[in-house]
Each structure stands twice: as C-alpha cells, then as structure tokens.
Amino acid sequence: MARKLLNTVFFVLLIVFAAAFVFPVAVVLINSFKAKFSISESPFTLPFGDDFVGLSNYVEGIKNTGFISAFGWSLFITVFSIAAILIFTSMCAWFIVRVKNKFTSILYYALVFSMIVPFQMVMFTMSKVANVLHLDNPLGIILIYLGFGAGLSVFMFTGFIKTVPLGIEEAATIDGCNPFQTYWQVVFPILKPTAITVAILNTMWIWNDYLLPYLVIGSDYKTIPIAVQYLKGGYGSVDMGAMMAMLVLSIIPVVVFYLFGQKYIIKGVAAGAVKG
Amino acid sequence: MEKTVKHWFPVFVLPTLAAFLIAFVIPFVMGVVLSFTEFRTVSDATFVGFSNYVRAFTDNNLFLQSLWFTVKFAVISVIGINVIAFALALLFTRELPATNFFRTIFFMPNLIGGIVLGYIWQVIINGVLYKFGYSITSNPTYGFWGLVILMHWQMIGYMMIIYIAGIQNIPTDILEAARVDGANAATVLFRITIPSVMPSITICLFLTITNSFKLFDQNLALTAGAPANRTQMVALDIYNTFYSRSGYEGVGQAKAVIFFIIVAVIALLQLYLTRRKEVES
C-alpha cells in the first residue's frame, strides 16, 4: 500500500519534470506565430488577434537566412561525413586490432588522445591548414570531419573487433578471400550494431556543430547552426519573430530523426558509454 | 594472415591516417609551436619564448576571470546533473507507467544543437526577467545561472540513459539476497547500487566535466559573454582573443595550450580516481 502511494507520488513528480522539459520548446513554437515585438515582452502568452501573424515569421526567416540551402548543406555534410567515418575508421580499427606493431599502437593512442583535446587548441591552425590545402568547401570539410571523428570512432570499433573471433576470418581466407573481401563480406556485417552507435554519436555532433564549419566554410556555405547565428549577428537588432521560426525549423529535423531512430539512439548512447 | 593484411595498409589505414594528420596532428603540433611565437598569418611567426604565456595572464584579467567562471560553472553543473540524472534513473527502475514516454522526453534536448539551445533559453529567461525590468545581460549572475539551467536541461537525459543501463546490469540475485538479509533502502543504495554502477559514474563524470569545460556554442548564443565579458567561459575567451582583433593570435594560442593542459589533467585525474574505485568494487 505504502509502495503504491510512493509510486503515485513519483509518477506525479515525473509528469511535472516532463512538463518542465517540454515547456521551453513549446514556448518557442507558440512564439513563432506571434508578432515580433510582443515576443521579448510577453513570450508566455498565446497569440490572439493582431498578435497572430500566421506563417509570416517563417517566410521572413527562411528568406533572410537562406534556410533551405543551409538545410541542404547540413544534410550533405552530415550524410557524407558519416559515410566516410563508417567506411574508413572501421577498416582502420580492424587493421589496428589485427596487425600488432609499434606503428599501429602509436596510431591508436594518438587517436584516443585526440578525444580529450579541446577544439580551441587546434581551431586556428586547422582552419589555416584547410585553407592552404583547399579543403575549405563542403567536400573538403568531409575529410576534416573524418580526421576529427576518427578518435571516438576507431576507439569504439576496436573495442568491439577485439571480441570478434579470428576463426571466421581465417575460414574466409582459406576460401580464397583477400583481406578487403574478408573485411567487407565477413567482418563488417558483424560490426553493424557498433556501426549504428558510431553513426548516431557522430550525427549528433556533426549536424549540430557550429564553430568548425563556421571557421572552415562559413563565409561561403552556411549550415543550419551558422544560419541561426547569422540572424543574430547579421544586422542591428534581432528579428525575434524570424528567430523563433528558425529555431522551430532547426528542431524539426532533429525530432523527426529522433522519433524514427529512437530505439537505436537510446541503445546507441548507452552502448557508447559502456565502451567508453 | 597478419602478413597478408599488412600489405593492405594503404587501403585500410591511409584514408583515416591522412585525414587525422591534416585535421588534428599537424594543427596540434603547429599550435604548440606557434604558442611560443608572435604571428598573424602563421608564415610570419617569430620566436618570442614564453611571453605569450605571460601575456595571457597579464594583458588583462579576462583569461583568469573566464577560467574562474568556467570552474564554478563546471562544479555546479557536474554535481547537479549527475545527482538529478541518477535519481531519475532510480525512479525508472521502479514499476512506473509510461517510462518509455518519459525517457523520450528527457533525452530529447540533448539532440538539439548548442546554438539553438542558447536562443531557446534566452527567450525563456528574458521573458521571466522582463517582468522585473531586467534582461539576461543586465547582471552576470543571471547569465551564470542561465547557463547552469541550460546545461542541466541538455545533459540530464543523456546521463540518465547511461545510469539506467548501469542499474539494469546489476544482477537481481544480489538485490534479492540483500533484501532477504533485511538491508534497508539506504544500505542497498550505498552498498550495492552505487558501487555496482561505478563504470557508469566514471563515464558520466567524464562526459559532464569535459562538456562543461569545453562549452562554447551555448555560451555564445545565450549571452555571448555579456555584460562586459563577465559571463565569458574559457573557450569563448580564447575565440575572442584570436578573432576579435589582430595581433593577439599568439596569446590566443598560448591560452589554448593552457586550456588543453587543464582539461587533459582534470579528465585523466578523474578517470584515474573513479577507475580505481571500480577495481576495488
């Protein structure tokens, strides 16, 4: 009986907590339909009468920030960076586990080391290097993301590959497969759960990343975070209406991604932590 | 077999190695070297010894001020986030309805980017303060607590997921045995649950500490350091030293090296200390 009562109390507590979590997003959503001048003064009222402006904030915001193309670049950079990271860092991790020598162990520790280095340490020199090597475009930045994502990704793949028995790979070799065929036909399919985790962790980072793309390609190509920040710095006072609309548009892809991949995302995050 | 694999080095390792060298290793080495020079465009660097390191602290007090701000922020956030996330995770292991729904809600903010998070909270906090005639930039205390609240909102769900996974891994027979022996809830919590989830605590502390110290996007969007750089965290201070005016690139790089050393030492110390606890239990 006491247990039941306690559970009810906890349940109510969770509801209050959940409401507090949803509240900020709900406020932004409501304000995206409000006239821009009433947003900073009274963000907690519903839009009635003159205050309701329909979709005009969205139209204004999309026009001023170039949101459509920002969405396109964000999608392009995220998808191809993730593909590159999955293909190349998993192969690299397999090589590191299977070929034990001084070089592979130095490479492994250098990669792990890179995970704790703050971005500010390399931001200036990295954007210079990218500039000199003509990597300051949406294709070049994929190479940079491969380099920055390599630490976590190789670390996670090696953790899993160590548990893969050698026997199946040897069997494939006896059947006449070269290492490349063995890797893609036998090893990679086994890595799939880890690959999903790596893909999710890197998507969460690359899709939302602001400073790296801003420094490397920001003057010519805007991703979504750059477009949102541009609204602030672009001209004198901030158009709060357009800002609210852009925040909503930035959150929608994330929510869609989350609702479709929720099972994998939560599992992936938990699995990623266990390996760490 | 290892021998044949070895010949495939260019296919398996080279792409990642080349990208890693270009994006990280070369910039990192250059960064360390340049912190001892004065430069504007890298090619014009002249050696100046430790003067940038001295100037990081003596040109003005912004670096020390932002370091202190960051430390205060990190201590409060790390403790608050982990305590609340752990408490929520414990709730989730009771038989409550709709736990999947709550888990979904709590985790969601973590997927939203830092810039967007900063502006969302700016509206909320300004909306509340407006009623009293203030805004988030009228007092550094508002900006500080704004960042603390934002960070809690973003990270609690993430840490909670990790703690739930840890708690679910505790073998049920240990808990049963404790109950049969008449252990009360507090004993079970401190003698069984917490020691058993030490690996989760290690990783959660690591993630919250490093993320708190490295915070940049949220800081830029929420206050951008206002008023008068008083809510500026270390990462933003380094960024402004580099880019807000010319001639301070060397100082910025020296600050970045100091920042890197601080983060690395704290992260490794924490991993060492909590990992030791894991072995004991």
Side-chain angles (χ1 to χ4, degrees):
Chain A
M1 194 57 206
R3 194 179 165 77
K4 240 186 180 158
L5 187 73
L6 203 60
N7 273 352
T8 315
V9 172
F10 284 142
F11 186 64
V12 173
L13 210 73
L14 278 181
I15 292 175
V16 173
F17 226 80
F21 265 72
V22 176
F23 178 71
V25 176
V27 168
V28 170
L29 180 66
I30 289 165
N31 280 282
S32 69
F33 301 107
K34 265 186 354 201
K36 50 182 139 188
F37 298 110
S38 67
I39 292 170
S40 16
E41 291 168 21
S42 51
F44 306 123
T45 57
L46 290 169
F48 286 119
D50 284 351
D51 224 10
F52 182 76
V53 296
L55 290 176
S56 76
N57 288 330
Y58 286 85
V59 175
E60 193 79 358
I62 288 173
K63 206 177 70 197
N64 288 343
T65 57
F67 189 86
I68 307 286
S69 84
F71 178 82
W73 288 125
S74 278
L75 195 64
F76 175 87
I77 291 168
T78 306
V79 167
F80 287 103
S81 299
I82 299 300
I85 286 172
L86 288 183
I87 293 169
F88 295 120
T89 66
S90 70
M91 293 205 305
C92 180
W94 185 69
F95 191 94
I96 286 175
V97 175
R98 291 294 178 245
V99 179
K100 293 233 180 309
N101 58 33
K102 223 176 209 156
F103 175 79
T104 55
S105 78
I106 289 173
L107 176 62
Y108 177 73
Y109 285 110
L111 285 163
V112 172
F113 167 78
S114 76
M115 282 197 285
I116 57 164
V117 176
F119 180 65
Q120 274 68 25
M121 177 63 208
V122 293
M123 83 183 162
F124 184 85
T125 43
M126 186 277 295
S127 46
K128 288 280 177 231
V129 170
N131 191 273
V132 170
L133 297 177
H134 301 293
L135 296 172
D136 47 358
N137 55 63
L139 271 177
I141 203 170
I142 292 167
L143 185 85
I144 295 180
Y145 273 124
L146 173 60
F148 265 97
L152 178 72
S153 309
V154 168
F155 178 68
M156 296 206 49
F157 278 122
T158 48
F160 188 80
I161 292 168
K162 277 179 196 156
T163 67
V164 175
L166 256 174
I168 30 175
E169 290 168 29
E170 278 163 352
T173 312
I174 292 162
D175 287 347
C177 286
N178 65 35
F180 189 75
Q181 292 165 323
T182 305
Y183 179 77
W184 286 107
Q185 287 167 17
V186 179
V187 182
F188 192 76
I190 307 173
L191 298 182
K192 218 176 109 192
T194 310
I196 292 173
T197 303
V198 170
I200 285 164
L201 292 177
N202 283 303
T203 305
M204 283 162 57
W205 160 52
I206 296 172
W207 178 267
N208 291 320
D209 201 15
Y210 166 72
L211 195 50
L212 193 158
Y214 175 72
L215 292 174
V216 176
I217 58 170
S219 44
D220 300 317
Y221 308 92
K222 291 188 183 65
T223 59
I224 291 177
I226 300 173
V228 171
Q229 179 63 15
Y230 176 79
L231 206 52
K232 167 81 181 297
Y235 38 89
S237 67
V238 188
D239 178 347
M240 288 305 281
M243 178 61 98
M244 294 304 106
M246 288 310 99
L247 295 182
V248 172
L249 289 183
S250 315
I251 296 172
I252 289 173
V254 172
V255 170
V256 171
F257 169 71
Y258 185 38
L259 291 182
F260 276 98
Q262 210 211 118
K263 201 179 84 192
Y264 296 106
I265 292 169
I266 294 202
K267 253 195 210 153
V269 165
V274 172
K275 300 256 168 53
Chain B
M1 189 177 124
E2 191 174 315
K3 253 194 169 149
T4 8
V5 176
K6 239 173 156 173
H7 294 300
W8 287 75
F9 173 83
V11 178
F12 279 87
V13 181
L14 206 57
T16 305
L17 179 65
F20 184 56
L21 287 174
I22 291 169
F24 181 79
V25 178
I26 294 168
F28 182 86
V29 174
M30 273 171 74
V32 173
V33 173
L34 284 175
S35 71
F36 297 101
T37 68
E38 205 175 299
F39 64 97
R40 263 154 224 220
T41 59
V42 177
S43 51
D44 63 348
T46 50
F47 185 74
V48 294
F50 277 95
S51 100
N52 288 328
Y53 287 87
V54 175
R55 285 179 62 193
F57 295 99
T58 54
D59 273 2
N60 52 46
N61 68 347
L62 286 179
F63 189 50
L64 272 178
Q65 182 183 294
S66 65
L67 262 176
W68 177 229
F69 186 92
T70 308
V71 169
K72 280 191 295 185
F73 168 81
V75 169
I76 294 173
S77 299
V78 168
I79 295 171
I81 291 168
N82 282 289
V83 168
I84 297 172
F86 188 77
L88 281 175
L90 283 177
L91 281 189
F92 273 78
T93 52
R94 302 176 74 95
E95 293 122 39
L96 293 173
T99 44
N100 270 341
F101 167 77
F102 288 121
R103 202 174 55 179
T104 305
I105 300 280
F106 292 155
F107 185 73
M108 188 200 57
N110 190 61
L111 291 166
I112 302 173
I115 294 284
V116 175
L117 284 171
Y119 287 116
I120 292 176
W121 278 96
Q122 197 189 59
V123 177
I124 308 289
I125 294 168
N126 274 338
V128 173
L129 291 173
Y130 186 85
K131 298 205 162 43
F132 306 96
Y134 298 115
S135 82
I136 192 162
T137 52
S138 34
N139 186 328
T141 312
Y142 301 154
F144 178 80
W145 289 104
L147 278 169
V148 169
I149 293 170
L150 187 162
M151 193 69 173
H152 277 70
W153 193 66
Q154 181 181 9
M155 301 274 307
I156 282 174
Y158 192 169
M159 297 307 119
M160 185 191 80
I161 300 281
I162 299 173
Y163 283 129
I164 291 174
I167 293 171
Q168 281 171 344
N169 273 338
I170 303 174
T172 40
D173 48 335
I174 300 184
L175 296 169
E176 296 280 313
R179 231 163 264 143
V180 171
D181 289 348
N184 62 25
T187 316
V188 172
L189 176 65
F190 288 105
R191 291 295 175 78
I192 297 174
T193 310
I194 291 180
S196 312
V197 297
M198 266 327 275
S200 304
I201 295 176
T202 299
I203 188 66
C204 284
L205 283 179
F206 179 79
L207 288 173
T208 43
I209 290 172
T210 51
N211 280 325
S212 299
F213 269 89
K214 293 180 186 173
L215 201 72
F216 178 86
D217 297 1
Q218 290 86 336
N219 191 198
L220 179 70
L222 189 68
T223 65
N229 301 321
R230 296 276 300 281
T231 62
Q232 188 164 267
M233 298 182 65
V234 184
L236 186 56
D237 177 54
I238 293 170
Y239 176 83
N240 284 333
T241 311
F242 265 113
Y243 295 106
S244 66
R245 54 195 164 157
S246 187
Y248 288 81
E249 289 83 355
V251 181
Q253 192 60 58
K255 285 181 177 180
V257 172
I258 298 169
F259 180 41
F260 151 64
I261 292 170
I262 293 173
V263 171
V265 167
I266 293 176
L268 294 177
L269 195 69
Q270 177 261 317
L271 285 179
Y272 169 76
L273 289 174
T274 47
R275 281 256 194 267
R276 215 176 45 172
K277 279 261 184 339
E278 281 175 35
V279 179
E280 278 171 17
S281 64

